[in-house]
Amino acid sequence: MFRKRFNSTFIKEQSGVAGEKNKASEENGESAVPISKNDFIQMVSNAVHHSSDLNIKSIPPNLTLIYIDTLVDGEVLKKHIIQDLFTGKDVSPESILSILTIAQVKLSSNLDDTIAAMMDGSVLIHVEGYSQVVLANIPTNESRALSAPENESQVIGAQVAFNESLSTSVSLIRRYIKNRNLCNEKIELGKQSKTTVAMLYIKGVASEEMVNTLRQRITNLNVDSVLDSAILEHLINDNTLSIFPQMLLTERPDKFCAELLNGKLGVIVDGSSFALVCPHSFIEFFQSQEDLNLRWQIASFVRLLRFSAVVLSVFLTPLYVAALTFHYEVIPETLVVPLSESRALVPFPPLLEALLIELIIELLREAGVRLPTKVGQTIGIVGGIVIGTAAVQAGITSNILIIIVALGALSSFTTPSYMMGNVIRIIRFPLILLAGFWGFYGIMLGFCFILIHLLRQTSLGSPYTAPFYPPRLIDWRDSLVRLPLPFTFKRPSNTRPEDQDKYEPEPINPEKNEQKVK
């Protein structure tokens, strides 16, 4: 009898305290957790609109477990929560914290925060008579296994790529950079999607001004959803109207970490296998992580070859159109006869002929990307050979133009960045039109327009054309060419790093070390 009176008195006291908390939370615009089991179940069910995957379990004498079975790890729930709570005794939220053996456990008295935690993979443990809920976070670990990069492959270096799991991607980064100054700030984006975004940087290396700027851009977003890193890049870059990417999208953890060590900032979106890196200049889109693994002579040659291929891809076809339409005098005499013979049966002017072949190449490329891997490769090779041969035999185009267009398409694939490769493909078409209308003058007009546009761009406030404009001669050592490591010990100045030296040049010079020892 005494025990019943004590329990009723205790529940009344808890009700009074909960009532005071409810009033305070209502004044603050928050909803408190009800102490009644039935009220709590009803409020949670209503919040998720009685979803079919909402599970409710009762554990005697006074516990209720609520969770969404598609979001929690069933094995952990069975072995480390339900089994531990089957004590048969009255427990409190505080005692549950000491009973459970899982890592992420906390208390919450706010209903909105409680439901948000449930949607993030937490089990809600409600104790009858208490206005606090225990949140046991046991999200399911279903994710794609780690694999080799598909879009940024390399011969020498790591052969692992990010996957869609944010925790896995962050763990890969921490394996490369075991530094306590590596900061990981998590931000929730999207009114509907509630997507977790991680912003990473190295404290003491990255510029605090840039960190604050990027953080403000992300937190100020008011959108329904952010489902991929590419979408976030469109929302936070400096100029959303520009065709040129201002932030790097990479799937390589080693590339991501190398940029962090250079004083840059990184962003990873949960559910995306690509990470963002900023600021990023125009010339850096043509640099590969493999360049650091090669000897400086080979790396410099490959970079120059890559940039020359981009120039060929953009200007080769427009030069062909301009020369055949307006400027016959620039064609060498040895090529006049082959050109005239190859175009003898072509009924189209050079402008239409070039546009037609370029569009066919783009159709083959797009079809090869969308089809399954093996089928896409076959379609690209066989389709190019068959269509090219048939077009020449039918007199629709000349064989010289087929060679020029194929060379331009092949050159566009040398760009390490997929986003910049798409830009190279697109800007070729306006230049072809300008060349068809005004010849070399049109090409120069298009080139000047592109150059002025690049000079006006910025990436997180940093000049897009650095280190060439504004000129920073010390950064030229690792731009179009890469000099030996003793000459590249400075971090890029366009990132405005707090610590400008990556390493001291003297420790890697054995002669100076021997002199110091003596």
Side-chain angles (χ1 to χ4, degrees), residues 321-425:
V321 173
L324 290 185
T325 307
F326 297 100
H327 309 284
Y328 296 103
E329 66 277 3
V330 300
I331 302 175
E333 294 182 1
T334 55
L335 288 178
V336 172
V337 175
L339 275 174
S340 60
E341 290 179 352
S342 65
R343 287 193 45 80
L345 300 176
V346 177
F348 305 112
L351 175 61
L352 293 180
E353 179 191 6
L355 289 175
L356 178 63
I357 299 303
E358 289 282 359
L359 288 174
I360 291 175
I361 292 294
E362 292 300 324
L363 285 174
L364 288 173
R365 177 159 28 188
E366 190 66 18
V369 171
R370 304 305 165 194
L371 290 172
T373 305
K374 295 182 179 179
V375 178
Q377 292 176 354
T378 305
I379 289 293
I381 297 172
V382 176
I385 295 173
V386 172
I387 293 177
T389 304
V392 173
Q393 291 178 352
I396 297 176
T397 183
S398 64
N399 49 12
I400 294 181
L401 180 61
I402 292 290
I403 297 173
I404 291 175
V405 172
L407 183 60
L410 186 64
S411 300
S412 66
F413 287 112
T414 61
T415 306
S417 171
Y418 177 76
M419 302 297 289
M420 184 58 74
N422 288 336
V423 174
I424 301 303
R425 291 165 53 187

Side-chain angles (χ1 to χ4, degrees), residues 228-279:
D228 195 86
S229 299
I231 298 175
L232 181 62
E233 191 265 342
H234 300 160
L235 295 172
I236 64 174
N237 60 18
D238 292 39
N239 184 4
T240 57
L241 299 179
S242 176
I243 191 174
F244 291 93
Q246 293 132 50
M247 298 181 182
L248 175 67
L249 273 174
T250 180
E251 60 178 344
R252 300 193 61 91
D254 54 347
K255 174 70 172 177
F256 186 88
C257 294
E259 299 294 0
L260 291 185
L261 293 170
N262 277 333
K264 297 186 180 183
L265 287 65
V267 179
I268 305 177
V269 177
D270 191 19
S272 175
S273 59
F274 283 83
L276 280 176
V277 175
C278 58

Side-chain angles (χ1 to χ4, degrees), residues 5 19 77 104 167 190 197 202 218 238 246 258 286 294 304:
R5 288 179 181 176
L77 174 65
Q104 300 182 24
S167 58
V197 175
I202 299 178
I218 296 176
D238 292 39
Q246 293 132 50
F286 304 98
L294 300 173
L304 291 172

Side-chain angles (χ1 to χ4, degrees), residues 493-513:
S493 56
N494 65 312
T495 62
R496 300 193 291 274
E498 295 187 1
D499 184 5
Q500 295 184 358
D501 294 336
K502 287 192 288 187
Y503 46 80
E504 292 294 334
E506 292 187 359
I508 63 175
N509 191 330
E511 296 180 359
K512 291 187 177 181
N513 284 340

Side-chain angles (χ1 to χ4, degrees), residues 96-111:
I96 292 176
L97 293 179
S98 60
I99 293 174
L100 297 180
T101 57
I102 61 176
Q104 300 182 24
V105 186
K106 64 178 181 179
L107 296 176
S108 175
S109 57
N110 181 269
L111 186 63

Side-chain angles (χ1 to χ4, degrees), residues 422-437:
N422 288 336
V423 174
I424 301 303
R425 291 165 53 187
I426 297 301
I427 62 175
R428 188 189 307 132
F429 287 94
L431 290 174
I432 292 174
L433 291 173
L434 291 172
F437 291 134

